[in-house]
Amino acid sequence: VNRVRVRLIDANCDTNIPGLYIVGELGGRGLIKNAINEGKMASEHVAKVLEGTVPPSADEPFVEVAIIGSGPAGLSAGLEAMRRHLSVVVIEQGSLSDTVRKYPRHKLLLAEPVAVPLYGDLWIADASKESLLQVWETIVANTGLPVRTGERVTGVTREGPFLRVQTSLGTQLARKVILALGRRGTPRKLGVHGEELDKVFYDIVEMEAFAGKHVLIVGGGDSAIESVLGLANQPGTTVTLVYRGTAWDRVKERNREKLEKVIASGKVSPMLQSTVREIRADVAVIEVAGETTILPNDYVVIRIGGDPPFAMLERLGVRIVEKEVPTGARAV
């Protein structure tokens, strides 16, 4: 079992903050089907709460529901809001459905159909994430769901009957807000050529998805080391750990001891005083103590810090609890 931090919500995905809902991946090991159902459920509840109410007056335009995140949960919430004739906007810090776009598995499996609002049954058996992305993009284009990409949300504050969403491009007033954030939050990036490739990740939820692969991990803190340790336990997986420092002096003692053991086992190759200069489709260009080397790899995982979604939730006052999640749970 893994212990994960999750938000405290009720059966309608409502939090302890009135008018603020949370759906999707923040629950731990996010299932695509569950995320779609949660998003739909949250918008159903919003519609029920707002039904028959008189919209408050405001000095600026507002929407009835603002949705943060355009993964399966966010898009489902947006589509259900549209279906119920609620004014809605979806705000995404990356590209459309970034959660699915950065999913580690090439193959996704929805073993049974799941109902997507304004679309119908979605059933992708043994299909690629690219197929699912194409479906989402088609649905958004056909329905006219307003999605604003490249706009990072920095906070949400209460203003009388409204919630004000602060973003990197301004603010958005809304009667209700649905947070459909991925677990990655806003990771710190390397800023190198090739970092936008699909092989690059900033977090790992399902270690087993990388079985039999060679993974390059960048970082020297506890999050990087814990990713290394998890991957080293997967059958056939080998790991190269790239760190610009000279020693593992930023990690907990127990993590350092475990790291030394997996290095000794040969499953993990450390590269100290090293910096990634470029990421390519099947290799990475690394500078090691002033010398350039080319390292073949299947995936690159960057764990060098950032602003996790829980930090924003805690700033908002959302209660966070811990729960146990079975390690063998399916990913989709």
mmCIF file of all heavy atoms in Angstrom, residues 185-232:
data_model
loop_
_atom_site.group_PDB
_atom_site.id
_atom_site.type_symbol
_atom_site.label_atom_id
_atom_site.label_comp_id
_atom_site.label_asym_id
_atom_site.label_seq_id
_atom_site.Cartn_x
_atom_site.Cartn_y
_atom_site.Cartn_z
ATOM 1 N N GLY A 185 1.008 19.565 -10.682
ATOM 2 C CA GLY A 185 1.031 20.978 -10.342
ATOM 3 C C GLY A 185 1.836 21.759 -11.367
ATOM 4 O O GLY A 185 1.722 21.562 -12.570
ATOM 5 N N THR A 186 2.685 22.654 -10.886
ATOM 6 C CA THR A 186 3.533 23.455 -11.763
ATOM 7 C C THR A 186 4.990 23.101 -11.483
ATOM 8 O O THR A 186 5.613 23.655 -10.574
ATOM 9 C CB THR A 186 3.305 24.961 -11.533
ATOM 10 O OG1 THR A 186 1.908 25.236 -11.672
ATOM 11 C CG2 THR A 186 4.082 25.785 -12.544
ATOM 12 N N PRO A 187 5.552 22.156 -12.225
ATOM 13 C CA PRO A 187 6.920 21.718 -11.949
ATOM 14 C C PRO A 187 7.955 22.714 -12.467
ATOM 15 O O PRO A 187 7.712 23.455 -13.421
ATOM 16 C CB PRO A 187 7.023 20.399 -12.720
ATOM 17 C CG PRO A 187 6.069 20.578 -13.855
ATOM 18 C CD PRO A 187 4.936 21.415 -13.333
ATOM 19 N N ARG A 188 9.103 22.733 -11.820
ATOM 20 C CA ARG A 188 10.222 23.524 -12.324
ATOM 21 C C ARG A 188 10.798 22.794 -13.530
ATOM 22 O O ARG A 188 10.919 21.573 -13.531
ATOM 23 C CB ARG A 188 11.284 23.683 -11.235
ATOM 24 C CG ARG A 188 12.419 24.632 -11.621
ATOM 25 C CD ARG A 188 13.333 24.860 -10.427
ATOM 26 N NE ARG A 188 12.596 25.446 -9.320
ATOM 27 C CZ ARG A 188 12.710 25.057 -8.048
ATOM 28 N NH1 ARG A 188 13.514 24.056 -7.738
ATOM 29 N NH2 ARG A 188 12.012 25.643 -7.111
ATOM 30 N N LYS A 189 11.153 23.537 -14.557
ATOM 31 C CA LYS A 189 11.657 22.928 -15.787
ATOM 32 C C LYS A 189 13.145 23.199 -15.972
ATOM 33 O O LYS A 189 13.700 24.125 -15.388
ATOM 34 C CB LYS A 189 10.861 23.436 -16.987
ATOM 35 C CG LYS A 189 9.380 23.070 -16.907
ATOM 36 C CD LYS A 189 8.651 23.385 -18.191
ATOM 37 C CE LYS A 189 7.196 22.919 -18.096
ATOM 38 N NZ LYS A 189 6.462 23.132 -19.372
ATOM 39 N N LEU A 190 13.755 22.387 -16.826
ATOM 40 C CA LEU A 190 15.180 22.556 -17.110
ATOM 41 C C LEU A 190 15.435 23.713 -18.063
ATOM 42 O O LEU A 190 16.495 24.341 -18.032
ATOM 43 C CB LEU A 190 15.754 21.271 -17.728
ATOM 44 C CG LEU A 190 15.780 20.027 -16.842
ATOM 45 C CD1 LEU A 190 16.256 18.827 -17.664
ATOM 46 C CD2 LEU A 190 16.674 20.231 -15.632
ATOM 47 N N GLY A 191 14.459 23.957 -18.952
ATOM 48 C CA GLY A 191 14.646 25.016 -19.943
ATOM 49 C C GLY A 191 15.596 24.635 -21.054
ATOM 50 O O GLY A 191 16.332 25.479 -21.573
ATOM 51 N N VAL A 192 15.586 23.342 -21.434
ATOM 52 C CA VAL A 192 16.481 22.881 -22.502
ATOM 53 C C VAL A 192 15.674 22.452 -23.717
ATOM 54 O O VAL A 192 14.477 22.155 -23.631
ATOM 55 C CB VAL A 192 17.371 21.705 -22.018
ATOM 56 C CG1 VAL A 192 18.222 22.146 -20.841
ATOM 57 C CG2 VAL A 192 16.524 20.485 -21.657
ATOM 58 N N HIS A 193 16.339 22.419 -24.861
ATOM 59 C CA HIS A 193 15.708 21.979 -26.096
ATOM 60 C C HIS A 193 15.264 20.519 -25.959
ATOM 61 O O HIS A 193 16.006 19.676 -25.466
ATOM 62 C CB HIS A 193 16.684 22.102 -27.258
ATOM 63 C CG HIS A 193 16.101 21.682 -28.576
ATOM 64 N ND1 HIS A 193 15.145 22.425 -29.232
ATOM 65 C CD2 HIS A 193 16.310 20.573 -29.335
ATOM 66 C CE1 HIS A 193 14.811 21.805 -30.354
ATOM 67 N NE2 HIS A 193 15.497 20.680 -30.434
ATOM 68 N N GLY A 194 14.037 20.224 -26.379
ATOM 69 C CA GLY A 194 13.514 18.860 -26.338
ATOM 70 C C GLY A 194 12.710 18.545 -25.100
ATOM 71 O O GLY A 194 12.132 17.462 -24.983
ATOM 72 N N GLU A 195 12.616 19.500 -24.167
ATOM 73 C CA GLU A 195 11.885 19.234 -22.929
ATOM 74 C C GLU A 195 10.384 19.073 -23.176
ATOM 75 O O GLU A 195 9.670 18.511 -22.352
ATOM 76 C CB GLU A 195 12.138 20.359 -21.922
ATOM 77 C CG GLU A 195 11.705 20.033 -20.511
ATOM 78 C CD GLU A 195 12.192 21.036 -19.486
ATOM 79 O OE1 GLU A 195 12.863 22.022 -19.871
ATOM 80 O OE2 GLU A 195 11.907 20.848 -18.295
ATOM 81 N N GLU A 196 9.921 19.542 -24.327
ATOM 82 C CA GLU A 196 8.498 19.445 -24.648
ATOM 83 C C GLU A 196 8.109 18.083 -25.210
ATOM 84 O O GLU A 196 6.918 17.808 -25.446
ATOM 85 C CB GLU A 196 8.117 20.539 -25.656
ATOM 86 C CG GLU A 196 8.606 20.311 -27.077
ATOM 87 C CD GLU A 196 10.112 20.562 -27.275
ATOM 88 O OE1 GLU A 196 10.768 21.072 -26.331
ATOM 89 O OE2 GLU A 196 10.628 20.259 -28.362
ATOM 90 N N LEU A 197 9.067 17.191 -25.426
ATOM 91 C CA LEU A 197 8.772 15.877 -25.996
ATOM 92 C C LEU A 197 7.888 15.046 -25.069
ATOM 93 O O LEU A 197 7.920 15.203 -23.848
ATOM 94 C CB LEU A 197 10.085 15.115 -26.271
ATOM 95 C CG LEU A 197 11.005 15.700 -27.350
ATOM 96 C CD1 LEU A 197 12.330 14.940 -27.380
ATOM 97 C CD2 LEU A 197 10.331 15.649 -28.715
ATOM 98 N N ASP A 198 7.116 14.126 -25.668
ATOM 99 C CA ASP A 198 6.204 13.281 -24.896
ATOM 100 C C ASP A 198 6.933 12.329 -23.947
ATOM 101 O O ASP A 198 6.315 11.784 -23.028
ATOM 102 C CB ASP A 198 5.313 12.451 -25.836
ATOM 103 C CG ASP A 198 4.204 13.286 -26.452
ATOM 104 O OD1 ASP A 198 3.970 14.407 -25.950
ATOM 105 O OD2 ASP A 198 3.583 12.835 -27.433
ATOM 106 N N LYS A 199 8.218 12.117 -24.157
ATOM 107 C CA LYS A 199 8.977 11.203 -23.294
ATOM 108 C C LYS A 199 9.364 11.850 -21.965
ATOM 109 O O LYS A 199 9.904 11.179 -21.086
ATOM 110 C CB LYS A 199 10.253 10.740 -24.010
ATOM 111 C CG LYS A 199 11.235 11.874 -24.278
ATOM 112 C CD LYS A 199 12.482 11.394 -25.020
ATOM 113 C CE LYS A 199 13.425 10.661 -24.099
ATOM 114 N NZ LYS A 199 14.708 10.335 -24.751
ATOM 115 N N VAL A 200 9.087 13.144 -21.790
ATOM 116 C CA VAL A 200 9.505 13.880 -20.595
ATOM 117 C C VAL A 200 8.350 13.980 -19.604
ATOM 118 O O VAL A 200 7.237 14.360 -19.967
ATOM 119 C CB VAL A 200 10.002 15.292 -20.958
ATOM 120 C CG1 VAL A 200 10.395 16.068 -19.706
ATOM 121 C CG2 VAL A 200 11.181 15.209 -21.922
ATOM 122 N N PHE A 201 8.615 13.644 -18.335
ATOM 123 C CA PHE A 201 7.615 13.706 -17.276
ATOM 124 C C PHE A 201 8.189 14.446 -16.068
ATOM 125 O O PHE A 201 9.401 14.532 -15.906
ATOM 126 C CB PHE A 201 7.186 12.298 -16.852
ATOM 127 C CG PHE A 201 6.623 11.492 -17.983
ATOM 128 C CD1 PHE A 201 7.436 10.651 -18.725
ATOM 129 C CD2 PHE A 201 5.293 11.582 -18.324
ATOM 130 C CE1 PHE A 201 6.941 9.918 -19.786
ATOM 131 C CE2 PHE A 201 4.779 10.854 -19.388
ATOM 132 C CZ PHE A 201 5.599 10.023 -20.120
ATOM 133 N N TYR A 202 7.278 14.940 -15.233
ATOM 134 C CA TYR A 202 7.709 15.661 -14.030
ATOM 135 C C TYR A 202 7.235 14.969 -12.758
ATOM 136 O O TYR A 202 7.471 15.437 -11.663
ATOM 137 C CB TYR A 202 7.185 17.099 -14.072
ATOM 138 C CG TYR A 202 7.733 17.855 -15.262
ATOM 139 C CD1 TYR A 202 7.049 17.856 -16.472
ATOM 140 C CD2 TYR A 202 8.948 18.521 -15.199
ATOM 141 C CE1 TYR A 202 7.557 18.520 -17.586
ATOM 142 C CE2 TYR A 202 9.467 19.181 -16.296
ATOM 143 C CZ TYR A 202 8.764 19.171 -17.482
ATOM 144 O OH TYR A 202 9.288 19.813 -18.586
ATOM 145 N N ASP A 203 6.571 13.860 -12.924
ATOM 146 C CA ASP A 203 6.100 13.070 -11.784
ATOM 147 C C ASP A 203 5.808 11.671 -12.305
ATOM 148 O O ASP A 203 5.619 11.475 -13.503
ATOM 149 C CB ASP A 203 4.830 13.692 -11.191
ATOM 150 C CG ASP A 203 4.471 13.107 -9.839
ATOM 151 O OD1 ASP A 203 5.268 12.308 -9.307
ATOM 152 O OD2 ASP A 203 3.397 13.455 -9.310
ATOM 153 N N ILE A 204 5.794 10.710 -11.404
ATOM 154 C CA ILE A 204 5.447 9.345 -11.778
ATOM 155 C C ILE A 204 4.382 8.860 -10.815
ATOM 156 O O ILE A 204 4.582 8.878 -9.607
ATOM 157 C CB ILE A 204 6.663 8.390 -11.704
ATOM 158 C CG1 ILE A 204 7.835 8.934 -12.513
ATOM 159 C CG2 ILE A 204 6.282 7.015 -12.194
ATOM 160 C CD1 ILE A 204 9.085 8.099 -12.386
ATOM 161 N N VAL A 205 3.240 8.441 -11.356
ATOM 162 C CA VAL A 205 2.188 7.887 -10.517
ATOM 163 C C VAL A 205 2.268 6.365 -10.537
ATOM 164 O O VAL A 205 2.313 5.714 -9.509
ATOM 165 C CB VAL A 205 0.799 8.359 -10.993
ATOM 166 C CG1 VAL A 205 -0.290 7.780 -10.103
ATOM 167 C CG2 VAL A 205 0.724 9.882 -10.985
ATOM 168 N N GLU A 206 2.315 5.787 -11.722
ATOM 169 C CA GLU A 206 2.367 4.328 -11.869
ATOM 170 C C GLU A 206 3.768 3.891 -12.281
ATOM 171 O O GLU A 206 4.138 3.967 -13.453
ATOM 172 C CB GLU A 206 1.353 3.842 -12.912
ATOM 173 C CG GLU A 206 -0.098 4.006 -12.486
ATOM 174 C CD GLU A 206 -0.623 5.402 -12.764
ATOM 175 O OE1 GLU A 206 0.026 6.135 -13.532
ATOM 176 O OE2 GLU A 206 -1.661 5.755 -12.193
ATOM 177 N N MET A 207 4.554 3.451 -11.309
ATOM 178 C CA MET A 207 5.917 3.016 -11.602
ATOM 179 C C MET A 207 5.930 1.852 -12.591
ATOM 180 O O MET A 207 6.829 1.738 -13.435
ATOM 181 C CB MET A 207 6.616 2.592 -10.304
ATOM 182 C CG MET A 207 6.765 3.692 -9.273
ATOM 183 S SD MET A 207 8.014 4.891 -9.744
ATOM 184 C CE MET A 207 7.910 6.037 -8.351
ATOM 185 N N GLU A 208 4.920 0.967 -12.494
ATOM 186 C CA GLU A 208 4.903 -0.219 -13.341
ATOM 187 C C GLU A 208 4.786 0.112 -14.822
ATOM 188 O O GLU A 208 5.095 -0.721 -15.675
ATOM 189 C CB GLU A 208 3.779 -1.167 -12.912
ATOM 190 C CG GLU A 208 2.373 -0.611 -13.048
ATOM 191 C CD GLU A 208 1.891 0.150 -11.821
ATOM 192 O OE1 GLU A 208 2.741 0.556 -10.997
ATOM 193 O OE2 GLU A 208 0.678 0.345 -11.705
ATOM 194 N N ALA A 209 4.345 1.325 -15.143
ATOM 195 C CA ALA A 209 4.233 1.724 -16.549
ATOM 196 C C ALA A 209 5.601 1.826 -17.221
ATOM 197 O O ALA A 209 5.695 1.842 -18.441
ATOM 198 C CB ALA A 209 3.499 3.064 -16.653
ATOM 199 N N PHE A 210 6.674 1.897 -16.429
ATOM 200 C CA PHE A 210 8.022 2.052 -16.966
ATOM 201 C C PHE A 210 8.828 0.744 -16.911
ATOM 202 O O PHE A 210 10.038 0.758 -17.092
ATOM 203 C CB PHE A 210 8.774 3.140 -16.190
ATOM 204 C CG PHE A 210 8.160 4.510 -16.347
ATOM 205 C CD1 PHE A 210 7.105 4.914 -15.541
ATOM 206 C CD2 PHE A 210 8.626 5.390 -17.310
ATOM 207 C CE1 PHE A 210 6.531 6.167 -15.680
ATOM 208 C CE2 PHE A 210 8.059 6.649 -17.460
ATOM 209 C CZ PHE A 210 7.013 7.035 -16.646
ATOM 210 N N ALA A 211 8.159 -0.368 -16.640
ATOM 211 C CA ALA A 211 8.845 -1.654 -16.558
ATOM 212 C C ALA A 211 9.562 -1.970 -17.861
ATOM 213 O O ALA A 211 9.024 -1.765 -18.956
ATOM 214 C CB ALA A 211 7.850 -2.763 -16.220
ATOM 215 N N GLY A 212 10.799 -2.448 -17.740
ATOM 216 C CA GLY A 212 11.573 -2.853 -18.903
ATOM 217 C C GLY A 212 12.174 -1.709 -19.690
ATOM 218 O O GLY A 212 12.714 -1.921 -20.778
ATOM 219 N N LYS A 213 12.114 -0.487 -19.173
ATOM 220 C CA LYS A 213 12.633 0.684 -19.883
ATOM 221 C C LYS A 213 13.869 1.242 -19.190
ATOM 222 O O LYS A 213 14.133 0.949 -18.028
ATOM 223 C CB LYS A 213 11.555 1.767 -19.966
ATOM 224 C CG LYS A 213 10.258 1.326 -20.623
ATOM 225 C CD LYS A 213 10.477 0.936 -22.077
ATOM 226 C CE LYS A 213 9.166 0.564 -22.756
ATOM 227 N NZ LYS A 213 9.371 0.187 -24.183
ATOM 228 N N HIS A 214 14.596 2.073 -19.954
ATOM 229 C CA HIS A 214 15.705 2.811 -19.341
ATOM 230 C C HIS A 214 15.229 4.245 -19.128
ATOM 231 O O HIS A 214 14.829 4.926 -20.065
ATOM 232 C CB HIS A 214 16.956 2.812 -20.201
ATOM 233 C CG HIS A 214 18.077 3.568 -19.521
ATOM 234 N ND1 HIS A 214 18.771 3.037 -18.469
ATOM 235 C CD2 HIS A 214 18.558 4.815 -19.706
ATOM 236 C CE1 HIS A 214 19.666 3.925 -18.044
ATOM 237 N NE2 HIS A 214 19.543 5.017 -18.779
ATOM 238 N N VAL A 215 15.270 4.679 -17.870
ATOM 239 C CA VAL A 215 14.732 5.985 -17.499
ATOM 240 C C VAL A 215 15.859 6.865 -16.961
ATOM 241 O O VAL A 215 16.649 6.443 -16.118
ATOM 242 C CB VAL A 215 13.631 5.841 -16.427
ATOM 243 C CG1 VAL A 215 13.012 7.202 -16.124
ATOM 244 C CG2 VAL A 215 12.558 4.867 -16.886
ATOM 245 N N LEU A 216 15.892 8.081 -17.454
ATOM 246 C CA LEU A 216 16.844 9.080 -16.980
ATOM 247 C C LEU A 216 16.098 9.998 -16.011
ATOM 248 O O LEU A 216 15.091 10.602 -16.365
ATOM 249 C CB LEU A 216 17.385 9.895 -18.156
ATOM 250 C CG LEU A 216 18.258 11.116 -17.839
ATOM 251 C CD1 LEU A 216 19.540 10.691 -17.156
ATOM 252 C CD2 LEU A 216 18.564 11.892 -19.111
ATOM 253 N N ILE A 217 16.583 10.078 -14.783
ATOM 254 C CA ILE A 217 15.965 10.936 -13.781
ATOM 255 C C ILE A 217 16.910 12.080 -13.454
ATOM 256 O O ILE A 217 18.102 11.874 -13.245
ATOM 257 C CB ILE A 217 15.603 10.154 -12.507
ATOM 258 C CG1 ILE A 217 14.504 9.146 -12.826
ATOM 259 C CG2 ILE A 217 15.157 11.094 -11.393
ATOM 260 C CD1 ILE A 217 13.967 8.392 -11.643
ATOM 261 N N VAL A 218 16.349 13.293 -13.419
ATOM 262 C CA VAL A 218 17.148 14.482 -13.142
ATOM 263 C C VAL A 218 16.740 15.037 -11.781
ATOM 264 O O VAL A 218 15.555 15.303 -11.544
ATOM 265 C CB VAL A 218 16.937 15.558 -14.222
ATOM 266 C CG1 VAL A 218 17.851 16.749 -13.964
ATOM 267 C CG2 VAL A 218 17.178 14.986 -15.615
ATOM 268 N N GLY A 219 17.704 15.212 -10.881
ATOM 269 C CA GLY A 219 17.418 15.785 -9.572
ATOM 270 C C GLY A 219 18.228 15.112 -8.482
ATOM 271 O O GLY A 219 18.749 14.009 -8.669
ATOM 272 N N GLY A 220 18.322 15.782 -7.347
ATOM 273 C CA GLY A 220 19.095 15.229 -6.244
ATOM 274 C C GLY A 220 18.397 15.318 -4.908
ATOM 275 O O GLY A 220 19.000 15.058 -3.863
ATOM 276 N N GLY A 221 17.105 15.682 -4.911
ATOM 277 C CA GLY A 221 16.337 15.766 -3.671
ATOM 278 C C GLY A 221 15.581 14.484 -3.398
ATOM 279 O O GLY A 221 15.686 13.494 -4.130
ATOM 280 N N ASP A 222 14.778 14.501 -2.335
ATOM 281 C CA ASP A 222 14.054 13.289 -1.937
ATOM 282 C C ASP A 222 13.064 12.832 -2.998
ATOM 283 O O ASP A 222 12.894 11.631 -3.216
ATOM 284 C CB ASP A 222 13.318 13.528 -0.613
ATOM 285 C CG ASP A 222 14.260 13.455 0.582
ATOM 286 O OD1 ASP A 222 14.935 12.428 0.733
ATOM 287 O OD2 ASP A 222 14.325 14.427 1.350
ATOM 288 N N SER A 223 12.400 13.768 -3.696
ATOM 289 C CA SER A 223 11.427 13.357 -4.706
ATOM 290 C C SER A 223 12.110 12.605 -5.845
ATOM 291 O O SER A 223 11.589 11.605 -6.347
ATOM 292 C CB SER A 223 10.663 14.566 -5.253
ATOM 293 O OG SER A 223 11.539 15.472 -5.897
ATOM 294 N N ALA A 224 13.288 13.068 -6.251
ATOM 295 C CA ALA A 224 14.039 12.385 -7.308
ATOM 296 C C ALA A 224 14.496 11.003 -6.837
ATOM 297 O O ALA A 224 14.347 10.011 -7.563
ATOM 298 C CB ALA A 224 15.249 13.226 -7.725
ATOM 299 N N ILE A 225 15.016 10.935 -5.621
ATOM 300 C CA ILE A 225 15.520 9.660 -5.107
ATOM 301 C C ILE A 225 14.378 8.669 -4.931
ATOM 302 O O ILE A 225 14.523 7.478 -5.241
ATOM 303 C CB ILE A 225 16.267 9.862 -3.771
ATOM 304 C CG1 ILE A 225 17.410 10.871 -3.934
ATOM 305 C CG2 ILE A 225 16.790 8.524 -3.251
ATOM 306 C CD1 ILE A 225 18.363 10.585 -5.073
ATOM 307 N N GLU A 226 13.231 9.125 -4.448
ATOM 308 C CA GLU A 226 12.099 8.217 -4.276
ATOM 309 C C GLU A 226 11.595 7.687 -5.620
ATOM 310 O O GLU A 226 11.163 6.539 -5.725
ATOM 311 C CB GLU A 226 10.988 8.929 -3.494
ATOM 312 C CG GLU A 226 11.340 9.072 -2.016
ATOM 313 C CD GLU A 226 10.535 10.138 -1.293
ATOM 314 O OE1 GLU A 226 9.572 10.669 -1.913
ATOM 315 O OE2 GLU A 226 10.861 10.449 -0.136
ATOM 316 N N SER A 227 11.657 8.518 -6.664
ATOM 317 C CA SER A 227 11.313 8.030 -8.002
ATOM 318 C C SER A 227 12.304 6.973 -8.465
ATOM 319 O O SER A 227 11.921 5.953 -9.046
ATOM 320 C CB SER A 227 11.290 9.201 -9.001
ATOM 321 O OG SER A 227 10.261 10.111 -8.710
ATOM 322 N N VAL A 228 13.579 7.212 -8.198
ATOM 323 C CA VAL A 228 14.623 6.238 -8.551
ATOM 324 C C VAL A 228 14.359 4.909 -7.853
ATOM 325 O O VAL A 228 14.407 3.833 -8.474
ATOM 326 C CB VAL A 228 16.015 6.772 -8.162
ATOM 327 C CG1 VAL A 228 17.058 5.673 -8.264
ATOM 328 C CG2 VAL A 228 16.409 7.941 -9.054
ATOM 329 N N LEU A 229 14.075 4.962 -6.564
ATOM 330 C CA LEU A 229 13.868 3.741 -5.791
ATOM 331 C C LEU A 229 12.655 2.964 -6.289
ATOM 332 O O LEU A 229 12.686 1.739 -6.397
ATOM 333 C CB LEU A 229 13.704 4.083 -4.309
ATOM 334 C CG LEU A 229 14.923 4.732 -3.637
ATOM 335 C CD1 LEU A 229 14.593 5.162 -2.218
ATOM 336 C CD2 LEU A 229 16.122 3.782 -3.649
ATOM 337 N N GLY A 230 11.580 3.682 -6.617
ATOM 338 C CA GLY A 230 10.391 3.010 -7.127
ATOM 339 C C GLY A 230 10.633 2.344 -8.466
ATOM 340 O O GLY A 230 10.214 1.212 -8.705
ATOM 341 N N LEU A 231 11.331 3.032 -9.353
ATOM 342 C CA LEU A 231 11.618 2.474 -10.681
ATOM 343 C C LEU A 231 12.589 1.299 -10.607
ATOM 344 O O LEU A 231 12.482 0.349 -11.376
ATOM 345 C CB LEU A 231 12.188 3.571 -11.583
ATOM 346 C CG LEU A 231 11.196 4.636 -12.037
ATOM 347 C CD1 LEU A 231 11.916 5.768 -12.754
ATOM 348 C CD2 LEU A 231 10.127 4.044 -12.940
ATOM 349 N N ALA A 232 13.529 1.376 -9.674
ATOM 350 C CA ALA A 232 14.516 0.305 -9.554
ATOM 351 C C ALA A 232 13.870 -1.013 -9.147
ATOM 352 O O ALA A 232 14.448 -2.088 -9.359
ATOM 353 C CB ALA A 232 15.591 0.696 -8.536
#
